[in-house]
mmCIF file of all heavy atoms in Angstrom:
data_model
loop_
_atom_site.group_PDB
_atom_site.id
_atom_site.type_symbol
_atom_site.label_atom_id
_atom_site.label_comp_id
_atom_site.label_asym_id
_atom_site.label_seq_id
_atom_site.Cartn_x
_atom_site.Cartn_y
_atom_site.Cartn_z
ATOM 1 N N SER A 903 0.791 -1.204 0.016
ATOM 2 C CA SER A 903 0.024 0.034 0.023
ATOM 3 C C SER A 903 0.825 1.243 -0.050
ATOM 4 O O SER A 903 1.766 1.340 0.817
ATOM 5 C CB SER A 903 -0.866 0.068 1.206
ATOM 6 O OG SER A 903 -1.841 -1.062 1.240
ATOM 7 N N LEU A 904 0.555 2.185 -0.886
ATOM 8 C CA LEU A 904 1.302 3.394 -0.976
ATOM 9 C C LEU A 904 0.629 4.473 -0.177
ATOM 10 O O LEU A 904 -0.607 4.485 -0.192
ATOM 11 C CB LEU A 904 1.443 3.857 -2.504
ATOM 12 C CG LEU A 904 2.186 2.868 -3.437
ATOM 13 C CD1 LEU A 904 2.343 3.443 -4.735
ATOM 14 C CD2 LEU A 904 3.650 2.531 -2.952
ATOM 15 N N THR A 905 1.364 5.475 0.419
ATOM 16 C CA THR A 905 0.908 6.556 1.030
ATOM 17 C C THR A 905 0.368 7.532 -0.052
ATOM 18 O O THR A 905 0.897 7.448 -1.142
ATOM 19 C CB THR A 905 1.841 7.135 1.897
ATOM 20 O OG1 THR A 905 2.849 7.700 1.074
ATOM 21 C CG2 THR A 905 2.425 6.258 2.941
ATOM 22 N N PRO A 906 -0.358 8.466 0.256
ATOM 23 C CA PRO A 906 -0.758 9.490 -0.790
ATOM 24 C C PRO A 906 0.422 10.212 -1.313
ATOM 25 O O PRO A 906 0.496 10.613 -2.396
ATOM 26 C CB PRO A 906 -1.692 10.454 0.081
ATOM 27 C CG PRO A 906 -2.378 9.574 1.104
ATOM 28 C CD PRO A 906 -1.237 8.598 1.524
ATOM 29 N N GLU A 907 1.448 10.494 -0.434
ATOM 30 C CA GLU A 907 2.616 11.144 -0.874
ATOM 31 C C GLU A 907 3.428 10.282 -1.848
ATOM 32 O O GLU A 907 3.976 10.764 -2.848
ATOM 33 C CB GLU A 907 3.478 11.549 0.323
ATOM 34 C CG GLU A 907 2.984 12.491 1.306
ATOM 35 C CD GLU A 907 1.840 11.951 2.271
ATOM 36 O OE1 GLU A 907 1.830 10.729 2.416
ATOM 37 O OE2 GLU A 907 1.149 12.749 2.916
ATOM 38 N N GLN A 908 3.339 9.012 -1.696
ATOM 39 C CA GLN A 908 4.082 8.129 -2.540
ATOM 40 C C GLN A 908 3.425 8.022 -3.911
ATOM 41 O O GLN A 908 4.088 7.974 -5.039
ATOM 42 C CB GLN A 908 4.342 6.725 -2.013
ATOM 43 C CG GLN A 908 5.176 6.564 -0.848
ATOM 44 C CD GLN A 908 5.200 5.344 -0.162
ATOM 45 O OE1 GLN A 908 4.180 4.728 0.146
ATOM 46 N NE2 GLN A 908 6.422 4.833 0.142
ATOM 47 N N VAL A 909 2.011 7.989 -3.932
ATOM 48 C CA VAL A 909 1.294 8.107 -5.137
ATOM 49 C C VAL A 909 1.495 9.402 -5.840
ATOM 50 O O VAL A 909 1.737 9.266 -7.177
ATOM 51 C CB VAL A 909 -0.231 7.882 -4.875
ATOM 52 C CG1 VAL A 909 -1.029 8.126 -6.132
ATOM 53 C CG2 VAL A 909 -0.432 6.467 -4.279
ATOM 54 N N ALA A 910 1.558 10.470 -5.163
ATOM 55 C CA ALA A 910 1.760 11.800 -5.772
ATOM 56 C C ALA A 910 3.176 11.832 -6.407
ATOM 57 O O ALA A 910 3.359 12.306 -7.519
ATOM 58 C CB ALA A 910 1.634 12.910 -4.825
ATOM 59 N N ALA A 911 4.138 11.268 -5.660
ATOM 60 C CA ALA A 911 5.481 11.259 -6.199
ATOM 61 C C ALA A 911 5.678 10.350 -7.508
ATOM 62 O O ALA A 911 6.310 10.690 -8.433
ATOM 63 C CB ALA A 911 6.506 10.667 -5.213
ATOM 64 N N ALA A 912 4.923 9.166 -7.428
ATOM 65 C CA ALA A 912 4.928 8.389 -8.670
ATOM 66 C C ALA A 912 4.233 8.987 -9.887
ATOM 67 O O ALA A 912 4.750 8.977 -11.024
ATOM 68 C CB ALA A 912 4.166 7.021 -8.363
ATOM 69 N N ALA A 913 3.246 9.801 -9.566
ATOM 70 C CA ALA A 913 2.524 10.536 -10.640
ATOM 71 C C ALA A 913 3.428 11.687 -11.182
ATOM 72 O O ALA A 913 3.545 11.832 -12.416
ATOM 73 C CB ALA A 913 1.215 11.250 -10.027
ATOM 74 N N VAL A 914 4.295 12.255 -10.306
ATOM 75 C CA VAL A 914 5.114 13.326 -10.780
ATOM 76 C C VAL A 914 6.234 12.732 -11.603
ATOM 77 O O VAL A 914 6.566 13.268 -12.741
ATOM 78 C CB VAL A 914 5.662 14.090 -9.593
ATOM 79 C CG1 VAL A 914 6.917 14.963 -10.055
ATOM 80 C CG2 VAL A 914 4.641 14.875 -9.013
ATOM 81 N N ALA A 915 6.717 11.622 -11.176
ATOM 82 C CA ALA A 915 7.792 10.801 -12.052
ATOM 83 C C ALA A 915 7.233 10.387 -13.325
ATOM 84 O O ALA A 915 7.989 10.539 -14.383
ATOM 85 C CB ALA A 915 8.230 9.630 -11.243
ATOM 86 N N MET A 916 6.076 9.973 -13.356
ATOM 87 C CA MET A 916 5.506 9.539 -14.642
ATOM 88 C C MET A 916 5.276 10.783 -15.533
ATOM 89 O O MET A 916 5.528 10.704 -16.768
ATOM 90 C CB MET A 916 3.987 8.937 -14.399
ATOM 91 C CG MET A 916 3.452 8.367 -15.758
ATOM 92 S SD MET A 916 4.460 7.145 -16.646
ATOM 93 C CE MET A 916 4.029 5.618 -15.620
ATOM 94 N N ARG A 917 4.878 11.873 -15.020
ATOM 95 C CA ARG A 917 4.765 13.143 -15.780
ATOM 96 C C ARG A 917 5.962 13.496 -16.406
ATOM 97 O O ARG A 917 6.032 13.963 -17.565
ATOM 98 C CB ARG A 917 4.247 14.341 -14.965
ATOM 99 C CG ARG A 917 3.886 15.511 -15.741
ATOM 100 C CD ARG A 917 3.471 16.682 -14.784
ATOM 101 N NE ARG A 917 2.668 16.271 -13.643
ATOM 102 C CZ ARG A 917 2.900 16.845 -12.485
ATOM 103 N NH1 ARG A 917 3.951 17.665 -12.286
ATOM 104 N NH2 ARG A 917 2.185 16.443 -11.398
ATOM 105 N N GLU A 918 7.084 13.412 -15.716
ATOM 106 C CA GLU A 918 8.421 13.784 -16.279
ATOM 107 C C GLU A 918 8.865 12.824 -17.381
ATOM 108 O O GLU A 918 9.579 13.200 -18.223
ATOM 109 C CB GLU A 918 9.470 13.750 -15.097
ATOM 110 C CG GLU A 918 9.255 14.822 -14.057
ATOM 111 C CD GLU A 918 10.192 14.653 -12.911
ATOM 112 O OE1 GLU A 918 10.935 13.724 -12.810
ATOM 113 O OE2 GLU A 918 10.004 15.587 -11.999
ATOM 114 N N ILE A 919 8.383 11.533 -17.355
ATOM 115 C CA ILE A 919 8.771 10.558 -18.460
ATOM 116 C C ILE A 919 7.771 10.854 -19.612
ATOM 117 O O ILE A 919 8.294 10.955 -20.747
ATOM 118 C CB ILE A 919 8.692 9.125 -17.888
ATOM 119 C CG1 ILE A 919 9.629 8.818 -16.694
ATOM 120 C CG2 ILE A 919 8.799 8.143 -18.993
ATOM 121 C CD1 ILE A 919 9.297 7.604 -15.991
ATOM 122 N N GLU A 920 6.537 10.815 -19.367
ATOM 123 C CA GLU A 920 5.547 10.975 -20.360
ATOM 124 C C GLU A 920 4.263 11.612 -19.824
ATOM 125 O O GLU A 920 3.502 10.989 -19.153
ATOM 126 C CB GLU A 920 5.186 9.688 -21.014
ATOM 127 C CG GLU A 920 4.103 9.772 -22.075
ATOM 128 C CD GLU A 920 4.473 10.580 -23.347
ATOM 129 O OE1 GLU A 920 5.510 10.331 -23.926
ATOM 130 O OE2 GLU A 920 3.703 11.607 -23.546
ATOM 131 N N PRO A 921 4.080 12.965 -19.885
ATOM 132 C CA PRO A 921 2.989 13.625 -19.209
ATOM 133 C C PRO A 921 1.666 13.056 -19.363
ATOM 134 O O PRO A 921 0.890 12.996 -18.401
ATOM 135 C CB PRO A 921 3.091 14.996 -19.897
ATOM 136 C CG PRO A 921 4.514 15.224 -20.259
ATOM 137 C CD PRO A 921 4.890 13.855 -20.709
ATOM 138 N N ARG A 922 1.216 12.609 -20.504
ATOM 139 C CA ARG A 922 -0.156 12.108 -20.732
ATOM 140 C C ARG A 922 -0.369 10.688 -20.027
ATOM 141 O O ARG A 922 -1.461 10.343 -19.711
ATOM 142 C CB ARG A 922 -0.401 11.911 -22.249
ATOM 143 C CG ARG A 922 0.480 10.790 -22.943
ATOM 144 C CD ARG A 922 0.214 10.866 -24.396
ATOM 145 N NE ARG A 922 1.229 9.969 -24.963
ATOM 146 C CZ ARG A 922 0.901 9.128 -25.967
ATOM 147 N NH1 ARG A 922 -0.316 9.177 -26.500
ATOM 148 N NH2 ARG A 922 1.740 8.344 -26.542
ATOM 149 N N TYR A 923 0.675 10.091 -19.564
ATOM 150 C CA TYR A 923 0.528 8.802 -18.709
ATOM 151 C C TYR A 923 0.335 9.060 -17.263
ATOM 152 O O TYR A 923 0.209 8.130 -16.454
ATOM 153 C CB TYR A 923 1.514 7.873 -19.056
ATOM 154 C CG TYR A 923 1.541 7.275 -20.499
ATOM 155 C CD1 TYR A 923 2.638 6.972 -21.073
ATOM 156 C CD2 TYR A 923 0.318 7.148 -21.102
ATOM 157 C CE1 TYR A 923 2.597 6.409 -22.434
ATOM 158 C CE2 TYR A 923 0.287 6.644 -22.329
ATOM 159 C CZ TYR A 923 1.405 6.233 -23.104
ATOM 160 O OH TYR A 923 1.368 5.794 -24.402
ATOM 161 N N GLU A 924 0.526 10.268 -16.821
ATOM 162 C CA GLU A 924 0.359 10.556 -15.322
ATOM 163 C C GLU A 924 -0.920 10.037 -14.876
ATOM 164 O O GLU A 924 -1.118 9.567 -13.730
ATOM 165 C CB GLU A 924 0.522 12.086 -15.091
ATOM 166 C CG GLU A 924 0.231 12.510 -13.607
ATOM 167 C CD GLU A 924 0.293 13.861 -13.356
ATOM 168 O OE1 GLU A 924 0.489 14.777 -14.400
ATOM 169 O OE2 GLU A 924 0.058 14.281 -12.240
ATOM 170 N N ILE A 925 -1.930 10.231 -15.661
ATOM 171 C CA ILE A 925 -3.314 9.882 -15.272
ATOM 172 C C ILE A 925 -3.469 8.296 -14.923
ATOM 173 O O ILE A 925 -4.224 7.896 -14.160
ATOM 174 C CB ILE A 925 -4.377 10.259 -16.311
ATOM 175 C CG1 ILE A 925 -5.816 10.051 -15.768
ATOM 176 C CG2 ILE A 925 -4.192 9.476 -17.558
ATOM 177 C CD1 ILE A 925 -6.196 10.843 -14.576
ATOM 178 N N LEU A 926 -2.446 7.524 -15.465
ATOM 179 C CA LEU A 926 -2.589 6.084 -15.244
ATOM 180 C C LEU A 926 -2.283 5.841 -13.742
ATOM 181 O O LEU A 926 -2.840 4.932 -13.257
ATOM 182 C CB LEU A 926 -1.586 5.331 -16.139
ATOM 183 C CG LEU A 926 -1.865 5.321 -17.553
ATOM 184 C CD1 LEU A 926 -0.794 4.648 -18.423
ATOM 185 C CD2 LEU A 926 -3.189 4.683 -17.823
ATOM 186 N N VAL A 927 -1.377 6.597 -13.206
ATOM 187 C CA VAL A 927 -1.034 6.455 -11.812
ATOM 188 C C VAL A 927 -2.240 6.714 -10.907
ATOM 189 O O VAL A 927 -2.627 5.995 -10.065
ATOM 190 C CB VAL A 927 0.197 7.399 -11.415
ATOM 191 C CG1 VAL A 927 0.442 7.198 -9.886
ATOM 192 C CG2 VAL A 927 1.510 6.984 -12.200
ATOM 193 N N TRP A 928 -2.961 7.910 -11.264
ATOM 194 C CA TRP A 928 -4.088 8.216 -10.463
ATOM 195 C C TRP A 928 -5.194 7.251 -10.657
ATOM 196 O O TRP A 928 -6.027 7.010 -9.651
ATOM 197 C CB TRP A 928 -4.433 9.729 -10.936
ATOM 198 C CG TRP A 928 -3.512 10.636 -10.526
ATOM 199 C CD1 TRP A 928 -2.702 11.440 -11.239
ATOM 200 C CD2 TRP A 928 -3.105 11.039 -9.070
ATOM 201 N NE1 TRP A 928 -1.933 12.271 -10.583
ATOM 202 C CE2 TRP A 928 -2.135 12.038 -9.231
ATOM 203 C CE3 TRP A 928 -3.473 10.675 -7.814
ATOM 204 C CZ2 TRP A 928 -1.529 12.603 -8.106
ATOM 205 C CZ3 TRP A 928 -2.980 11.222 -6.746
ATOM 206 C CH2 TRP A 928 -1.899 12.185 -6.883
ATOM 207 N N LEU A 929 -5.462 6.755 -11.833
ATOM 208 C CA LEU A 929 -6.523 5.840 -12.110
ATOM 209 C C LEU A 929 -6.321 4.549 -11.286
ATOM 210 O O LEU A 929 -7.149 3.849 -10.852
ATOM 211 C CB LEU A 929 -6.665 5.489 -13.539
ATOM 212 C CG LEU A 929 -7.334 6.624 -14.314
ATOM 213 C CD1 LEU A 929 -7.265 6.445 -15.839
ATOM 214 C CD2 LEU A 929 -8.912 6.838 -14.046
ATOM 215 N N GLY A 930 -4.976 4.141 -11.295
ATOM 216 C CA GLY A 930 -4.611 2.960 -10.516
ATOM 217 C C GLY A 930 -4.857 3.132 -8.993
ATOM 218 O O GLY A 930 -5.442 2.291 -8.352
ATOM 219 N N ALA A 931 -4.411 4.261 -8.576
ATOM 220 C CA ALA A 931 -4.453 4.412 -7.078
ATOM 221 C C ALA A 931 -5.838 4.803 -6.599
ATOM 222 O O ALA A 931 -6.208 4.254 -5.456
ATOM 223 C CB ALA A 931 -3.378 5.602 -6.800
ATOM 224 N N CYS A 932 -6.562 5.581 -7.387
ATOM 225 C CA CYS A 932 -7.810 6.096 -6.831
ATOM 226 C C CYS A 932 -9.040 5.357 -7.246
ATOM 227 O O CYS A 932 -10.119 5.234 -6.624
ATOM 228 C CB CYS A 932 -8.080 7.583 -7.409
ATOM 229 S SG CYS A 932 -6.875 8.606 -6.717
ATOM 230 N N ALA A 933 -8.892 4.517 -8.466
ATOM 231 C CA ALA A 933 -10.028 3.723 -8.885
ATOM 232 C C ALA A 933 -9.767 2.225 -8.920
ATOM 233 O O ALA A 933 -10.509 1.420 -9.172
ATOM 234 C CB ALA A 933 -10.508 4.146 -10.353
ATOM 235 N N GLY A 934 -8.512 1.864 -8.766
ATOM 236 C CA GLY A 934 -8.062 0.562 -8.738
ATOM 237 C C GLY A 934 -8.012 -0.216 -10.114
ATOM 238 O O GLY A 934 -8.129 -1.409 -10.167
ATOM 239 N N LEU A 935 -7.938 0.638 -11.169
ATOM 240 C CA LEU A 935 -7.870 0.147 -12.483
ATOM 241 C C LEU A 935 -6.544 -0.538 -12.845
ATOM 242 O O LEU A 935 -5.446 0.103 -12.409
ATOM 243 C CB LEU A 935 -8.128 1.272 -13.475
ATOM 244 C CG LEU A 935 -9.582 1.852 -13.434
ATOM 245 C CD1 LEU A 935 -9.797 2.857 -14.562
ATOM 246 C CD2 LEU A 935 -10.676 0.807 -13.443
ATOM 247 N N ARG A 936 -6.575 -1.584 -13.650
ATOM 248 C CA ARG A 936 -5.416 -2.138 -14.123
ATOM 249 C C ARG A 936 -4.999 -1.211 -15.426
ATOM 250 O O ARG A 936 -5.830 -0.429 -15.886
ATOM 251 C CB ARG A 936 -5.519 -3.584 -14.490
ATOM 252 C CG ARG A 936 -5.778 -4.481 -13.265
ATOM 253 C CD ARG A 936 -6.003 -5.863 -13.688
ATOM 254 N NE ARG A 936 -7.203 -6.044 -14.421
ATOM 255 C CZ ARG A 936 -8.261 -6.549 -13.739
ATOM 256 N NH1 ARG A 936 -8.250 -6.890 -12.539
ATOM 257 N NH2 ARG A 936 -9.322 -6.800 -14.567
ATOM 258 N N ALA A 937 -3.787 -1.399 -15.886
ATOM 259 C CA ALA A 937 -3.276 -0.572 -17.003
ATOM 260 C C ALA A 937 -4.182 -0.719 -18.257
ATOM 261 O O ALA A 937 -4.642 0.227 -18.832
ATOM 262 C CB ALA A 937 -1.935 -0.826 -17.383
ATOM 263 N N GLY A 938 -4.539 -2.018 -18.598
ATOM 264 C CA GLY A 938 -5.304 -2.292 -19.670
ATOM 265 C C GLY A 938 -6.759 -1.563 -19.631
ATOM 266 O O GLY A 938 -7.358 -1.080 -20.690
ATOM 267 N N GLU A 939 -7.365 -1.542 -18.393
ATOM 268 C CA GLU A 939 -8.571 -0.874 -18.215
ATOM 269 C C GLU A 939 -8.406 0.628 -18.256
ATOM 270 O O GLU A 939 -9.309 1.375 -19.030
ATOM 271 C CB GLU A 939 -9.245 -1.258 -16.917
ATOM 272 C CG GLU A 939 -9.529 -2.722 -16.837
ATOM 273 C CD GLU A 939 -9.709 -3.167 -15.258
ATOM 274 O OE1 GLU A 939 -9.234 -2.442 -14.330
ATOM 275 O OE2 GLU A 939 -10.471 -4.211 -15.112
ATOM 276 N N ALA A 940 -7.506 1.085 -17.740
ATOM 277 C CA ALA A 940 -7.231 2.559 -17.615
ATOM 278 C C ALA A 940 -6.954 3.063 -19.133
ATOM 279 O O ALA A 940 -7.493 4.156 -19.571
ATOM 280 C CB ALA A 940 -6.089 2.979 -16.779
#
């Protein structure tokens, strides 16, 4: 289980790699979606 701070850090890291994929981190953490669903 990640803390909210760890999720936010992962989202920021994803944004730096590919900004449009940042939402995948949030969909996984907040909605429980797998990558294929997201």
